[in-house]
Amino acid sequence: MKALVYHGPGQRAWEAVPDPVLVDPTDAIVRIDTTTICGTDLHILKGDVPEVEPGTILGHEAVGTVVEIGAGVTTVEPGDRVLVSCITSCGRCQFCKQAQYGLCTGGGGWIFGHTIDGLQAELARVPFADTSVYKVPDGLSDEDVIFLADILPTAFEVGVLNGGVQPGDTVAIVGAGPIGLAAVMTAKLFTPGRIIAIDLADARLEKALEFGADVTINNGNEDPLARVMELTQGLGADVVIEAVGMPETFELCTSIVRPGGRVANVGVHGHSATLHLETLWRRDVTITTGLVDTATTPQLLKLIESRRLDPAPFATHRFALDDTETAYDVFAAAAETHALKVVLSAEPVPALPERTAVRESVPAGVA
Ligand SMILES: NC(=O)c1ccc[n+]([C@@H]2O[C@H](COP(=O)([O-])OP(=O)(O)OC[C@H]3O[C@@H](n4cnc5c(N)ncnc54)[C@H](O)[C@@H]3O)[C@@H](O)[C@H]2O)c1
Ligand SMILES: [Zn+2]
Ligand SMILES: [Zn+2]
């Protein structure tokens, strides 16, 4: 098969590699029908995530078709269309039992395109298939569900739910990339009073308005603290979501939150930020951090099914899976290409042959 292989900082190639095989009885092999690229993949390529070994296939977001299952897999079978999410759950450890799959200590958590081969490939081995994949409901396309693999649950759980957004709240979101925009979209589920989007790029701020933000601030040419204070009678925002991952943006978040308010950090930080306790200590501010658990995936899936959430606007560019390298170039040059998420699709293949029934039929009249 072919896959996007990381060969060390700055080096990647769409190349031939061996097909994956079942290793553990709880594994499934999934044919990748649709995948996408995450900002984190770009971080890996910059060398910011040193634990990723050269030779690893990248990618942690996909929709695919099960082609083979291990002897221990009981809830999915060949032919099933499944969402393969960025987080894998062993289903057995202390954290998985509490739906904190991101913290899994049983071999799951963020493993795809990180500690094991990922999903930007024609085929992938999916560990703990029973507890980690989600069947795609009939009537939903791959593109309807692909953004549930990462950005939607991340923004919803680590931003909106950790931030405790309430009806009427003023919510400030710093960073209007895919994650910040997904935070705008999912914050609206709670009917906030006002959403303020803050970013350095005017094109991203225009997108934020399209996604439902009410006010935008370009902190490159406006003073974000003064603007937020002006909009909130000098108090600050009820909830501030950090969706960039830089020391200055985290520090901006703690300066624009109101006394008693909440700062939800979503950004992945490569450098330490300053926590200004000398001003924060008496302001009753709550700060949360987190890696996504993806525990809200079934809930978000229902909202997409009922069309209460429409992820379509995230898909700005489409490529054939074979063209993954061009897709990386377009995604990495987002400032010029205005890319949000690129959708990579495999050539459509004929449906898998009907599987012979393995379960014994129950005679009529026997319960
Ligand atoms: N916690 C988690 O589980 C989790 C999961 C996925 C991604 N993330 C992280 O979330 C963050 C956002 O992801 P993304 O894909 O949207 O990233 P992105 O790089 O596409 O978007 C970041 C946005 O921030 C803006 N920005 C950059 N510097 C800024 C500044 N000084 N002030 C204001 N805006 C600024 C950029 O213009 C851009 O629009 C990243 O750090 C990513 O690694 C976290
Ligand atoms: Zn990601
Ligand atoms: Zn676990």
Side-chain angles (χ1 to χ4, degrees), residues 88-97 101 103-109:
T88 300
S89 162
C90 81
R92 293 158 170 253
C93 74
Q94 173 194 339
F95 297 108
C96 284
K97 285 180 175 166
Y101 314 129
L103 299 176
C104 178
T105 53

Side-chain angles (χ1 to χ4, degrees), residues 10 25 29 40 91 138-139 146 159 172 185 197 206-207 216 221 240 263 281 321 329 335 338 343 352:
I29 303 294
T40 305
D138 289 338
I146 182 72
M185 183 182 272
E206 276 164 36
K207 282 280 177 198
T216 60
N221 50 42
V240 185
V263 174
W281 71 269
L321 191 54
D329 293 338
H338 294 183
V343 177
L352 293 175

Side-chain angles (χ1 to χ4, degrees), residues 39-40 43 150 154 158 174-180 198-201 204 219 243-246 248-249 266-268 290-292:
T40 305
H43 278 298
D150 185 343
T154 295
V158 191
V174 180
I179 296 280
I198 304 174
D199 200 292
L200 293 171
R204 287 281 165 94
N219 56 323
V244 183
M246 293 183 6
E248 58 266 39
T249 46
V266 189
V268 170
L291 168 70
V292 63

